[in-house]
Amino acid sequence: MTSDEFDVVVAASVQEGRWPNLRPRGSLLHAPLLNHTPVDAEVIDARKQVLDDELRMFALTITRARKHVILSATAGNDDAPSPFIRLAQGIDEIHTSSAENADQYQLSLRA
């Protein structure tokens, strides 16, 4: 892995269910599981490993920026921002803005 740095790093669509994506990694059809019924503890452990990997990748992403990190997410009936956005808001060097009070900028495709 290289240690490239950039002036601006953008992570778009940091949504719940997309980042972190907690679906276990493995073979496409999960063939090793055909003869094995996982115990609940094994499923939880597999999800924890995936979460740890996703968190590591998120940290790697935001630490590649020299000056600016831009994270985008939407909040609506079907979508919610990732918990990683809230995690990033706790970092002193990261300044966040929200569109919660952006009613003046409502856009529509209606005529």
Side-chain angles (χ1 to χ4, degrees):
M1 199 177 289
T2 63
S3 60
D4 292 334
E5 289 187 349
F6 306 94
D7 287 339
V8 178
V9 172
V10 177
S13 191
V14 184
Q15 299 295 130
E16 178 94 29
R18 289 188 208 136
W19 206 347
N21 176 0
L22 296 180
R23 282 177 276 182
R25 311 303 196 265
S27 67
L28 179 63
L29 301 175
H30 301 286
L33 298 178
L34 291 176
N35 289 333
H36 175 65
T37 304
V39 182
D40 288 341
E42 290 177 5
V43 172
I44 292 171
D45 188 47
R47 287 186 59 154
K48 183 180 178 330
Q49 281 182 321
V50 171
L51 178 60
D52 290 347
D53 287 342
E54 291 282 310
L55 185 57
R56 204 172 300 114
M57 292 305 297
F58 184 74
L60 181 68
T61 299
I62 64 174
T63 58
R64 295 299 118 202
R66 278 185 234 132
K67 295 181 181 180
H68 303 286
V69 175
I70 299 171
L71 305 175
S72 74
T74 59
N77 293 337
D78 297 331
D79 287 325
S82 169
F84 288 175
I85 296 268
R86 291 185 294 280
L87 192 68
Q89 288 174 336
I91 300 171
D92 292 336
E93 292 83 18
I94 295 181
H95 304 284
T96 60
S97 64
S98 171
E100 291 173 358
N101 51 4
D103 292 335
Q104 60 200 3
Y105 300 111
Q106 289 182 354
L107 301 175
S108 173
L109 295 176
R110 298 181 188 156

